[in-house]
Amino acid sequence: MNKDYLVDISEELGFTSDTLYLMNISKRSVEEMSFKIVETSLSFLHHQGASSFGKIITMFDGYNDIKDEVYEIKEVRKWVKGLFQRYPYFLYFINYSLDSHITLLSCVSDIAAVYTGGETLSPKEYETLGINPLIDIEPKQWTIILSEDLYLQMKKALIDYGQHMNDFIGAAETIKMINAVTTNKVGSKK
């Protein structure tokens, strides 16, 4: 494995085919509705062409002391909606390995959740108890209900971006992923 397997994209280190980039979105960016990190990152990734497909993992920093899931935090939902308004093709860049795509889609959708196991704790509480929530906790199951309007907007933007980047496969894979993890609500205008 490349030693630069996951690097902070704000550092814009050299691009290699094995590199995944972490886009760490700060609480301050969310509160201020700032998309500077996204603009800078996308400028960098646009220059990489089709090899930028699936290269980003997103994280929201500054919410480790609350129990809510990211998609339950009102200001994060608002920020992600703003992200997709500006960049409806953004999911093209998301790597599926750590569920960033599910987190982002959950923030712009209606959610039907099925909770299993015990009460959700905050990341700090899990750390204090020595529990790794990625391994030791049974994952929640939920249905992501994406509005038809947003789905169609994303689909069109992804097709256009795929044509622009000459990467029809990456765009098609992203659309296929959206279809696989969401349920479209016909007639929804959210």
Side-chain angles (χ1 to χ4, degrees):
M1 180 177 354
N2 183 330
K3 68 181 174 95
D4 293 335
Y5 180 69
L6 182 63
V7 296
D8 188 334
I9 196 164
S10 64
E11 296 173 11
E12 294 185 34
L13 298 175
F15 189 84
T16 66
S17 61
D18 293 338
T19 303
L20 286 179
Y21 291 100
L22 171 64
M23 182 182 288
N24 196 7
I25 301 144
S26 70
K27 187 174 185 178
R28 183 175 181 177
S29 291
V30 169
E31 290 171 345
E32 295 176 359
M33 289 296 290
S34 171
F35 297 91
K36 185 165 179 53
I37 183 67
V38 177
E39 292 165 8
T40 303
S41 299
L42 290 185
S43 175
F44 171 69
L45 291 169
H46 290 310
H47 286 81
Q48 309 309 318
S51 61
S52 64
F53 171 72
K55 292 298 179 181
I56 293 179
I57 294 171
T58 58
M59 294 183 74
F60 289 89
D61 191 24
Y63 298 95
N64 291 342
D65 56 343
I66 62 173
K67 296 178 182 183
D68 292 343
E69 299 289 345
V70 171
Y71 62 83
E72 296 174 314
I73 303 170
K74 185 178 178 179
E75 60 266 19
V76 172
R77 289 180 65 88
K78 181 179 176 185
W79 187 90
V80 175
K81 285 178 184 177
L83 170 72
F84 285 125
Q85 286 172 349
R86 287 171 177 75
Y87 309 103
Y89 57 90
F90 185 76
L91 288 173
Y92 172 87
F93 303 104
I94 296 298
N95 186 281
Y96 309 150
S97 63
L98 294 177
D99 292 344
S100 291
H101 59 303
I102 292 173
T103 299
L104 293 171
L105 286 167
S106 295
C107 287
V108 294
S109 303
D110 291 331
I111 304 296
V114 175
Y115 293 92
T116 58
E119 176 186 353
T120 301
L121 303 176
S122 72
K124 284 185 179 178
E125 290 172 317
Y126 285 126
E127 184 179 345
T128 300
L129 295 171
I131 298 171
N132 181 341
L134 297 175
I135 298 170
D136 302 329
I137 303 295
E138 187 175 340
K140 292 178 177 64
Q141 298 173 6
W142 66 93
T143 302
I144 303 170
I145 306 163
L146 185 63
S147 77
E148 184 179 23
D149 286 351
L150 183 54
Y151 170 73
L152 292 173
Q153 181 184 8
M154 288 178 169
K155 182 177 177 180
K156 180 184 180 330
L158 284 161
I159 290 168
D160 292 347
Y161 191 76
Q163 288 177 329
H164 178 72
M165 288 285 117
N166 198 26
D167 184 18
F168 303 102
I169 294 172
E173 284 295 315
T174 305
I175 294 166
K176 182 178 172 183
M177 173 278 297
I178 294 170
N179 286 323
V181 301
T182 66
T183 301
N184 294 338
K185 186 187 287 185
V186 177
S188 177
K189 306 288 185 195
K190 285 192 177 184

